[in-house]
């Protein structure tokens, strides 16, 4: 199984080598990597920032460490950052193959002539290494090359998905090891904390990578029920719950930190404008839409806009709710005689709940990256089905059936690789990405125009940038970031009065927007209004004490007004925060 896992991982690497041609994109990559001065050092100050700040509305210190190590090795060469992501995805694929093999071995083996969809109460009588390997290989191959995972791998800012999954899978494997080491006949006794120490350590690392790992305690309980068979009564349920208390406690702590981080960054403000009923409808729709995308990965989108009108009476949402209810009832009815379906459905729903938008609402209704871990359940079910099909095509009489099955596998794999390659190409540049989104969802995604405007601005196409900012504001009149960037672009063209007007509008919409204060202060500096400039820069620093550019600009104001003794500490602070211009100007005025 290890050789097989290695082979599937190599196939995964071969498919994703295409992503090495991609660059960074204007969507979280600036904030996370190439404009993030915090990751440009690997010292005590960096670790304090990684663990004690809620930068970018997140708390995932291990992810920041990963980006900092990449910067240390590769600098801002996107090739190296993508290579790291590809390697992590390949390692995760390896672990998936091994984990699925172990789960199949732990379960009661399927009878060779029994479909996994057939109810049966008697123990399975056939157990073959071929069955295990086929199920594991199919699951791993789907996990490795399926296009729904492109977003997590080809987008540098989604490194957190890969790291979280790595430690999530390792934690499950360490838990299986702990159960395996139990004395024969002691399956229903509680595991000690010492026995689960490695599983717990990897769980902590998963939470430090991305809070989506909070579902792990429930996943372990599902595994206790099936395939481990450790939960057969109320007493065994209590025992299993008791041993999971350390995991549950860590999940609660991570959840609290996540809510604090989201609130600190204003990421939960949309809750005020979306009713709970609407969020539930959209969540139910996403639950079924993700399954559809796994089974038929066409028209995958980097950005799925939040629906304007979600109604229970609409055919779209009514049908998804009915499908979800039917699946749940079917799993409940068959659970007594066949636990596989209930376990898979339970895993899928539980791992998706943190990102379904019930608790918080972003700008989109769903995202392919959210399926990185949840997809493992449906993919495993497909793998088991494929193994059953292969088992029933063995022998000379079934030669043609075996050839047909092999043909289906090859055709399916080739199709998935083709779609995956196309999805990777969408993430090649900011223009490829946002042109695609705007073409597919015209007039519905303000952030697409905003980010494309940022990309145009960085290559000097200021007229095109202003056009996109105008469109973003037209679609969302409260888009304060777009006002701010439009103001900066006006400033680059010398239209300072128009620029100040835009910054005023951004501050009016969001009074604690530090970037708008900094930009307005810089504009005042350029037109000689030094007192106004100093007031705005002071405000920007009060709002964001780590705003390197604001320190640099305030230092320049002090120099211009003859207060060099005040300028040097600001230049030093800007330099300490990773602003290279601050370090250069220090050489002029002395340390």
């Amino acid at each position: 199984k290890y050789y097989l896992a290695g082979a599937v991982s190599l196939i995964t690497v071969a498919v994703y080598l295409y992503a090495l041609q991609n660059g960074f994109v204007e969507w979280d990559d600036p904030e996370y990597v190439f404009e993030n001065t915090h990751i440009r050092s690997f010292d005590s100050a960096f670790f304090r920032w990684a663990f004690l700040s809620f930068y970018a509305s997140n708390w995932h210190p291990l992810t920041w460490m990963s980006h900092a190590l990449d910067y240390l090795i590769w600098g801002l060469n996107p090739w190296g950052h993508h290579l790291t992501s590809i390697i992590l995805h390949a390692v995760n694929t390896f672990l998936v193959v091994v984990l699925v093999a172990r789960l199949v071995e732990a379960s009661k083996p399927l009878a060779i002539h029994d479909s996994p969809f057939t109810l049966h109460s008697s123990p399975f009588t056939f157990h073959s290494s071929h069955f295990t390997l086929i199920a594991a290989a199919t699951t791993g191959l789907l996990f490795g090359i399926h296009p729904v995972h492109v977003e997590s791998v080809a987008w540098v800012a989604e490194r957190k998905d890969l790291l979280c999954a790595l430690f999530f899978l390792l934690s499950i494997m360490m838990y299986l090891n702990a159960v395996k080491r139990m004395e024969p006949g002691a399956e229903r006794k509680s595991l000690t904390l010492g026995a689960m120490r490695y599983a717990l350590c990897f769980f902590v690392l998963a939470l430090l990578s991305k809070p989506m790992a909070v579902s792990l305690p429930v996943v372990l309980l599902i595994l206790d029920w099936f395939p481990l068979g450790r939960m057969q009564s109320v007493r065994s349920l209590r025992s299993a719950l008791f041993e999971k208390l350390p995991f549950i406690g860590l999940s609660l702590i991570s959840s609290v930190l996540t809510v604090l981080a989201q609130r600190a960054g204003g990421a939960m403000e949309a809750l005020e404008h979306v009713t709970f009923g609407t969020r539930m409808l959209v969540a139910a729709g996403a639950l079924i839409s993700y399954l559809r995308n796994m089974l038929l990965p066409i028209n995958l989108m980097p950005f799925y806009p939040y629906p304007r009108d979600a109604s229970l009476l609409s055919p779209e949402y009514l049908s998804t709710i009915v499908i979800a209810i039917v699946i749940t009832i079917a799993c409940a009815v068959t659970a007594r005689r066949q636990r596989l379906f209930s376990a898979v459905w339970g895993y899928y729903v539980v791992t998706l709940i943190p990102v379904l938008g019930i608790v918080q609402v972003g700008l989109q209704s769903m995202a392919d990256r959210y399926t990185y871990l949840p997809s493992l359940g449906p993919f495993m079910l497909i793998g088991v089905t494929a193994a059953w099909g292969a088992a029933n095509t063995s022998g000379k009489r079934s030669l043609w059936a075996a050839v047909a099955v092999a043909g289906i596998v090859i055709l399916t794999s080739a199709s998935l690789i083709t779609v995956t390659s196309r999805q990777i190409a969408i993430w090649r540049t900011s223009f490829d990405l946002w042109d695609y989104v705007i073409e597919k969802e015209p007039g519905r995604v303000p952030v697409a125009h905003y980010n494309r405007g940022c990309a145009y601005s960085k290559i000097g196409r200021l007229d095109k940038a202003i056009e996109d900012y105008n469109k973003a504001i037209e679609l969302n009149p409260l888009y304060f970031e777009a006002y701010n960037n439009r103001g900066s672009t006006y400033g680059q063209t010398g239209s300072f009065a128009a620029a100040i007007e835009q910054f005023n509008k951004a501050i009016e919409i969001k009074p604690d927007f530090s970037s708008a204060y900094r930009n307005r202060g810089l504009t005042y500096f350029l037109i000689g209004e030094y007192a106004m400039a100093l007031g705005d820069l002071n405000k920007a620093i009060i709002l964001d004490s780590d705003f390197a550019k604001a320190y640099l600009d305030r230092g320049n104001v002090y120099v211009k007004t003859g207060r060099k003794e005040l300028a040097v500490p600001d230049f030093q602070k800007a330099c300490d925060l990773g602003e290279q211009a601050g370090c250069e100007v220090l050489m002029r005025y002395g340390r």
Side-chain angles (χ1 to χ4, degrees):
K1 65 188 174 185
Y2 294 104
Y3 289 122
L4 181 64
V8 174
S9 295
L10 288 175
I11 293 172
T12 300
V13 170
V15 171
Y16 274 95
L17 284 176
Y18 189 45
L20 294 178
Q21 304 176 47
N22 292 10
F24 297 118
V25 296
E26 285 291 337
W27 193 19
D28 286 353
D29 280 357
E31 193 171 19
Y32 275 60
V33 184
F34 64 84
E35 291 179 4
N36 185 359
T37 58
H38 299 285
I39 67 169
R40 298 180 185 180
S41 61
F42 212 72
D43 52 16
S44 58
F46 163 75
F47 285 101
R48 283 196 302 272
W49 167 81
F51 278 92
L52 300 179
S53 76
F54 290 145
Y55 181 80
S57 300
N58 283 298
W59 188 79
H60 41 47
L62 200 60
T63 295
W64 297 131
M65 292 181 207
S66 171
H67 288 304
L69 283 172
D70 263 357
Y71 181 83
L72 185 67
I73 299 170
W74 309 108
L76 290 178
N77 183 349
W79 186 91
H81 295 259
H82 284 295
L83 179 62
T84 301
S85 294
I86 292 169
I87 291 172
L88 284 171
H89 181 53
V91 172
N92 288 342
T93 302
F94 182 96
L95 292 176
V96 164
V97 175
V98 176
L99 176 60
V100 170
R102 293 185 61 183
L103 291 174
V104 172
E105 290 168 352
S107 64
K108 294 177 179 179
L110 290 171
I112 190 168
H113 295 298
D114 280 347
S115 161
F117 302 102
T118 302
L119 294 179
H120 45 77
S121 55
S122 60
F124 299 122
T125 57
F126 176 77
H127 187 39
S128 155
S129 60
H130 291 92
F131 184 96
T132 300
L133 294 177
I134 292 171
T138 303
T139 306
L141 197 60
L142 285 171
F143 185 89
I145 69 173
H146 201 287
V148 295
H149 290 170
V150 167
E151 193 169 298
S152 295
V153 185
W155 185 12
V156 172
E158 280 308 305
R159 174 72 53 76
K160 52 184 178 279
D161 282 346
L162 307 175
L163 285 172
C164 177
L166 171 66
F167 298 116
F168 192 97
L169 295 170
L170 285 172
S171 182
I172 292 176
M173 294 181 75
M174 293 302 103
Y175 180 77
L176 295 179
N177 284 347
V179 172
K180 189 176 181 180
R181 286 194 298 267
M182 295 181 73
E183 296 180 4
E187 291 85 357
R188 300 180 191 178
K189 293 183 179 179
S190 294
L191 288 164
T192 65
L193 188 60
M196 297 188 298
R197 61 188 182 279
Y198 296 117
L200 201 59
C201 287
F202 282 122
F203 179 48
V204 171
L205 294 177
L207 291 173
L208 292 176
S209 302
K210 187 177 182 179
M212 189 173 174
V214 293
S215 60
L216 182 66
V218 183
V219 170
L220 296 182
L221 288 171
I222 292 172
L223 293 178
D224 284 340
W225 183 69
F226 181 83
L228 299 178
R230 298 183 65 226
M231 283 171 37
Q232 305 293 338
S233 64
V234 175
R235 182 177 179 182
S236 59
L237 171 61
R238 287 199 300 265
S239 177
L241 278 171
F242 178 77
E243 71 184 17
K244 305 300 185 303
L245 288 179
F247 292 89
I248 295 171
L250 289 169
S251 289
L252 291 175
I253 293 171
S254 178
S255 299
V256 170
L257 288 171
T258 300
V259 171
L260 292 175
Q262 296 286 303
R263 284 182 175 171
M268 299 187 73
E269 292 178 358
L271 277 174
E272 301 173 1
H273 309 291
V274 183
T275 65
F276 181 75
T278 299
R279 296 199 301 272
M280 290 296 294
L281 283 176
V282 174
L287 198 67
I288 303 304
S289 294
Y290 286 135
L291 287 178
R292 183 189 61 223
N293 287 348
M294 291 176 208
L295 294 173
L296 193 63
I298 58 174
N299 296 323
L300 299 180
M301 289 286 295
F303 193 100
Y304 298 92
Y306 209 81
R308 292 168 180 166
D309 298 306
S311 170
L312 181 60
L313 300 178
S314 66
E316 177 186 357
Y317 289 101
L318 183 60
S319 62
T320 55
I321 290 175
V322 170
I323 292 172
I325 292 173
V326 168
I327 293 175
T328 303
I329 292 175
C331 289
V333 169
T334 60
R336 179 172 294 184
R337 303 180 67 185
Q338 175 55 277
R339 294 184 173 185
L340 174 63
F341 306 117
S342 297
V344 166
W345 179 245
Y347 168 86
Y348 172 72
V349 173
V350 163
T351 52
L352 265 179
I353 282 176
V355 290
L356 280 178
I358 298 173
V359 177
Q360 69 179 80
V361 176
L363 297 173
Q364 52 194 6
S365 59
M366 51 186 281
D368 292 340
R369 62 185 178 274
Y370 294 157
T371 66
Y372 193 75
L373 273 172
S375 64
L376 181 55
F379 288 164
M380 182 176 174
L381 186 59
I382 295 173
V384 170
T385 304
W388 168 81
N392 281 276
T393 56
S394 60
K396 296 181 179 179
R397 296 180 179 179
S398 303
L399 177 61
W400 289 109
V403 170
V405 170
I408 292 172
V409 170
I410 293 172
L411 182 61
T412 301
S413 298
S415 300
L416 289 176
I417 290 172
T418 300
V419 178
T420 294
S421 298
R422 290 175 181 170
Q423 288 298 118
I424 291 172
I426 291 171
W427 292 87
R428 180 171 294 177
T429 69
S430 298
F431 299 110
D432 290 320
L433 173 63
W434 297 116
D435 286 348
Y436 179 83
V437 173
I438 291 169
E439 178 187 349
K440 295 293 184 180
E441 294 286 352
R444 293 198 61 199
V445 188
V447 70
H449 292 279
Y450 171 79
N451 285 327
R452 192 173 67 175
C454 293
Y456 275 128
S457 180
K458 287 179 180 177
I459 63 171
R461 296 290 306 276
L462 302 184
D463 55 334
K464 300 291 289 183
I466 290 174
E467 285 181 17
D468 268 329
Y469 295 143
N470 290 343
K471 185 64 176 179
I473 291 169
E474 177 189 330
L475 296 175
N476 179 10
L478 298 179
Y479 205 153
F480 56 89
E481 294 99 335
Y483 284 107
N484 181 54
N485 280 27
R486 188 164 70 174
S488 295
T489 309
Y490 282 147
Q492 289 177 266
T493 65
S495 303
F496 298 123
I500 290 173
E501 182 181 347
Q502 297 301 305
F503 300 137
N504 290 342
K505 183 65 175 178
I507 292 170
E508 177 187 338
I509 297 170
K510 188 171 178 60
D512 60 347
F513 190 21
S514 60
S515 183
Y517 282 104
R518 181 258 170 176
N519 288 332
R520 192 173 68 178
L522 177 60
T523 305
Y524 280 134
F525 172 74
L526 293 174
I527 62 177
E529 296 284 351
Y530 302 126
M532 299 287 286
L534 189 59
D536 273 345
L537 294 171
N538 286 338
K539 182 67 173 180
I541 291 170
I542 290 171
L543 292 170
D544 182 0
S545 60
D546 291 331
F547 202 159
K549 291 184 182 297
Y551 285 106
L552 176 64
D553 294 337
R554 191 172 69 175
N556 287 327
V557 173
Y558 284 141
V559 170
K560 196 70 175 180
T561 55
R563 291 179 283 179
K564 295 180 181 178
E565 72 284 356
L566 296 177
V568 172
D570 274 353
F571 292 143
Q572 181 66 62
K573 181 68 173 178
C575 181
D576 292 342
L577 290 171
E579 185 62 41
Q580 187 59 35
C583 301
E584 292 171 359
V585 77
L586 271 178
M587 302 298 293
R588 191 182 316 155
Y589 294 107
R591 296 178 182 271

